Amino acid sequence: MTPAKRAQWRANTVAVAPCPVRCKDVKKFTDYCVTLRAFWIHYQTLFVGSDLKRELLQQTASIFFRDLNSAFNEHLILQICKLTDPASTRQGKLIYSNLTTQYLLENADFSKDPGDFAKLTKIAKRIAAFRARIVPARNKLIGHLDLEAAQARRSQGRAPVSAWHQFWLDLQDFLTIMHRRYVNKRVPFYLNGVGIMSDNDQLVRAMQESTYFRSALHDLKIGSRLAEIAYGSKFRDV
């Protein structure tokens, strides 16, 4: 872009001034992070574990769980990129603020606690570094289907497991500092300590128990009785 065109672009742009961070902003951002963390726990409970667990999923519904695995991956990457996007977005002549880690960092008031702000800045840099790893997947395959990337069939946006775990720790520390500053100074908030985020363990247990039923059903001594019980179940025609 030439200097003249850049000057014209700036002249035609009307910025929507960001507001100072408020308590409700931090609460809303925290809610999104809790929901995102729940999806991560869903994914971990279902797809991370022993070879036997993977075999169980494969035998139960291999195509469904393959597609579900892909959907979880895409959703997690997309949502993390949304929550770590730049502080503002240009739409036509207007510039709008985004509720992201960068927005909170740039507009929070830590004038009375520069120590916490220094910590927050370091954490935000680590979060941004993780984002840089996964954002190619959002930009080229998830939020947009790039022709070259689609034809190349190369993996985009991969990050090691250790980087994923560090991201959740960093996001937790980021929220803890913001929560202490804007929501509640006395009661600390720990993202990874929020309980009952997933009940996927019940799904895994149900699939596990179904293998017991199938094995028993083939036993001549008890198979017929089990068949009667199954036929009488209210869920038979689901």
Side-chain angles (χ1 to χ4, degrees):
M1 183 182 292
T2 65
K5 287 185 176 180
R6 187 178 295 110
Q8 183 180 6
W9 177 82
R10 289 174 177 169
N12 291 334
T13 299
V14 179
V16 178
C19 300
V21 173
R22 301 159 295 182
C23 175
K24 66 178 182 178
D25 299 328
V26 176
K27 285 183 175 180
K28 180 58 69 174
F29 185 80
T30 299
D31 289 343
Y32 278 110
C33 291
V34 169
T35 300
L36 183 60
R37 174 71 179 173
F39 274 95
W40 170 254
I41 299 299
H42 294 330
Y43 174 82
Q44 291 283 296
T45 305
L46 269 181
F47 299 109
V48 177
S50 66
D51 291 339
L52 277 176
K53 182 192 285 188
R54 284 185 283 273
E55 183 179 344
L56 177 63
L57 301 185
Q58 182 79 13
Q59 290 185 0
T60 303
S62 60
I63 297 175
F64 169 76
F65 284 113
R66 181 199 65 195
D67 292 346
L68 186 62
N69 184 298
S70 178
F72 270 125
N73 277 307
E74 291 192 4
H75 181 77
L76 285 165
I77 291 172
L78 177 62
Q79 297 304 317
I80 289 173
C81 289
K82 282 170 56 178
L83 294 178
T84 59
D85 267 339
S88 60
T89 299
R90 186 176 189 270
Q91 295 181 7
K93 295 184 179 181
L94 297 178
I95 296 178
Y96 293 98
S97 297
N98 299 321
L99 184 56
T100 66
T101 52
Q102 201 60 34
Y103 174 84
L104 295 175
L105 179 69
E106 292 179 9
N107 295 284
D109 179 10
F110 280 89
S111 57
K112 295 182 179 179
D113 200 340
D116 266 359
F117 184 71
K119 294 177 185 176
L120 199 68
T121 302
K122 290 181 180 179
I123 295 167
K125 287 181 179 178
R126 292 199 298 269
I127 291 176
F130 177 77
R131 168 195 166 83
R133 287 176 176 266
I134 65 172
V135 75
R138 194 276 295 270
N139 291 346
K140 292 188 175 292
L141 293 175
I142 301 174
H144 165 75
L145 188 56
D146 179 82
L147 177 60
E148 183 179 349
Q151 296 292 352
R153 296 184 180 180
R154 289 194 302 268
S155 177
Q156 299 279 348
R158 292 184 66 86
V161 174
S162 58
W164 277 92
H165 288 304
Q166 185 60 50
F167 164 75
W168 291 113
L169 292 174
D170 288 335
L171 185 60
Q172 172 176 260
D173 292 343
F174 185 94
L175 291 174
T176 297
I177 294 174
M178 293 299 302
H179 193 275
R180 182 167 62 234
R181 166 64 182 85
Y182 282 97
V183 180
N184 194 322
K185 293 182 178 180
R186 295 187 179 90
V187 181
F189 174 80
Y190 298 108
L191 175 64
N192 300 334
V194 177
I196 316 178
M197 281 192 169
S198 176
D199 54 3
N200 262 355
D201 56 327
Q202 296 182 40
L203 173 61
V204 175
R205 188 180 302 115
M207 290 189 294
Q208 183 184 35
E209 290 172 351
S210 73
T211 65
Y212 307 155
F213 177 80
R214 289 196 296 269
S215 296
L217 195 59
H218 289 88
D219 187 300
L220 295 178
K221 293 182 179 179
I222 60 176
S224 60
R225 178 55 185 148
L226 285 174
E228 292 175 3
I229 295 173
Y231 187 79
S233 171
K234 65 180 181 180
F235 297 113
R236 181 175 62 87
D237 295 323
V238 170

